[in-house]
Every structure is written in C-alpha cells, then in structure tokens.
Amino acid sequence: DADVTQTPRNRITKTGKRIMLECSQTKGHDRMYWYRQDPGLGLQLIYYSFDVKDINKGEISDGYSVSRQAQAKFSLSLESAIPNQTALYFCATSDWGQGPTGELFFGEGSRLTVL
Amino acid sequence: QKEVEQDPGPLSVPEGAIVSLNCTYSNSAFQYFMWYRQYSRKGPELLMYTYSSGNKEDGRFTAQVDKSSKYISLFIRDSQPSDSATYLCAMSARSSASKIIFGSGTRLSIRP
C-alpha cells in the first residue's frame, strides 16, 4: 500500500458543485501539504499544515479550504468548483527532521475536471 | 517573471546518451536545490538535493549548482529507458518544505 493515499484518483464534476479530495498517510509525518499541478506552471502550494492545530495558506489558497482531521488525514475542499480549478492535485507529507530541505513525499495525485 | 524557469521539453535522446537538464532562477537567496523525478501518473519523488554551490554525484546522476550564474543542472550518464520521466527542479531559501519553489518540469524520453 502507498504511504500517501489520495482519494478519489479521478473526478469529473460540474461548476458550482462542492468537492472534497482526501489524503491519508502512514508515514507518521506531522507536516502535510496540498499542491496543484498545471501544465507549464509546475507545482503550486495551496495549503499546508504542520500539525493538527496548525493550518497555513499557500500561494494559491483562494477558492480552497482544508481540514486536518487527524495527524494522518488532511482533506482539501472546493466549496463551489469552477472550470479553472481543473488540475492535478497532490497531497504530500514531510518530516522536518529528514534532511535540511524537509523532503516531500507525494501521493499519486487526484485528477479533477470541472465542466 | 517566474522565480524558477525550466524548459518544458520534451527532450528525446537515445539510450546511453548523456542528458543535461537545466533550470535558471532569479532569487539570489535560494540555498537549497533539489531535483524531483515524476513518472507518468505518479507523484514526484526526490532524486537529489544540494546545499549552496558545487556538485553532488549519486550513481549515474550529477547535480550541479552555479549560484553566480543562478543556474542549476542535472546530468544523467548512460541514460536508460527507465529514466523516461518528467524532471522538476526545486529550490528554497530556507530549510522548510513549505518554502520550496518548483520549476514547471522537463519531460524526458529515452529511446531504446
């Protein structure tokens, strides 16, 4: 089983619908992240959480919200999806003690299409 | 202007060739430099990281940082079809994963 699991892997929805992407991890890491990947733009940080009581906005948080339900679970919500939120979404974890950069461990991604 | 620029490719080379992948950046405060490899339909995984300037070698892979030119490179020797993937450079001014800036990735294909 993958250390970082994302569900669903693929989702097609309509404009205005509420969508939740879920992430769970078995790595025991405190830090969790949500990224968005678009062609030509690379990975952009949406939200991150250093522990259950800590939530921080990333560079592109508008239109998104998150919930850290437990150390191992971090979900991303789109309250009212719009077409330009069509993208590949990645959850990642890190452990601050692992090297100076805090290596990121990614899930396999959730492809979201908003029609 | 993006903080990190990376040629998207695609780059196609024959098996056994030496591959050079590059990124340029504008923020002189960047000190931590990374290369992530992303296979199709998978998440990125860390391939190499270096701190400040210089070279780092790991098997067939060499990462090179030239801070004076704001230029980093990843060299792959004796390239294999299994090296076919998208390579993302990444960098940070601080030792925190929340501050990492990613390049857009270069798609590499190694022809058997």
Side-chain angles (χ1 to χ4, degrees):
Chain A
D1 288 340
D3 293 326
V4 182
T5 303
Q6 293 183 229
T7 55
R9 294 291 314 278
N10 289 283
R11 182 72 184 269
I12 299 173
T13 190
K14 294 182 179 179
T15 298
K17 294 292 187 180
R18 184 177 187 274
I19 294 296
M20 179 180 286
L21 306 179
E22 297 183 318
C23 177
S24 62
Q25 53 113 347
T26 57
K27 297 192 74 66
H29 291 166
D30 288 326
R31 302 182 173 195
M32 298 188 73
Y33 310 79
W34 276 103
Y35 284 89
R36 167 179 173 155
Q37 187 175 42
D38 297 277
L41 292 179
L43 287 159
Q44 296 174 279
L45 183 61
I46 306 173
Y47 270 96
Y48 62 100
S49 169
F50 283 176
D51 65 41
V52 174
K53 296 180 181 179
D54 176 77
I55 301 289
N56 303 280
K57 292 182 178 181
E59 52 187 314
I60 56 162
S61 59
D62 287 348
Y64 301 95
S65 62
V66 291
S67 174
R68 185 81 184 267
Q69 300 94 329
Q71 188 215 28
K73 295 185 182 296
F74 193 36
S75 60
L76 176 72
S77 294
L78 290 68
E79 296 301 325
S80 180
I82 56 177
N84 75 1
Q85 291 178 313
T86 293
L88 184 57
Y89 290 86
F90 284 101
C91 175
T93 72
S94 75
D95 180 357
W96 72 272
Q98 283 190 327
T101 58
E103 176 184 354
L104 290 162
F105 296 85
F106 287 88
E108 296 197 328
S110 296
R111 184 167 296 280
L112 176 66
T113 302
V114 184
L115 302 176
Chain B
Q1 183 187 5
K2 293 181 184 176
E3 281 191 282
V4 178
E5 298 277 0
Q6 185 174 10
D7 187 332
L11 181 62
S12 180
V13 301
E15 183 175 355
I18 296 174
V19 176
S20 172
L21 304 170
N22 311 294
C23 287
T24 59
Y25 62 95
S26 58
N27 188 344
S28 58
F30 287 149
Q31 299 187 78
Y32 302 93
F33 303 92
M34 293 143 276
W35 287 94
Y36 278 79
R37 178 174 61 193
Q38 184 177 14
Y39 290 116
S40 180
R41 299 186 183 85
K42 298 290 186 180
E45 56 180 351
L46 183 64
L47 185 61
M48 295 188 72
Y49 80 85
T50 53
Y51 173 69
S52 194
S53 286
N55 293 358
K56 185 172 184 178
E57 189 173 321
D58 184 0
R60 298 183 295 108
F61 298 88
T62 299
Q64 195 172 79
V65 175
D66 181 350
K67 292 188 73 179
S68 62
S69 300
K70 296 190 181 69
Y71 189 87
I72 70 170
S73 300
L74 177 70
F75 297 97
I76 307 174
R77 291 184 300 281
D78 187 24
S79 57
Q80 304 294 310
S82 59
D83 295 328
S84 297
T86 297
Y87 290 79
L88 298 97
C89 63
M91 45 199 82
S92 173
R94 296 171 55 188
S95 61
S96 172
S98 65
K99 303 301 180 186
I100 294 174
I101 305 297
F102 285 87
S104 56
T106 299
R107 191 153 53 97
L108 173 66
S109 176
I110 308 297
R111 306 189 302 271

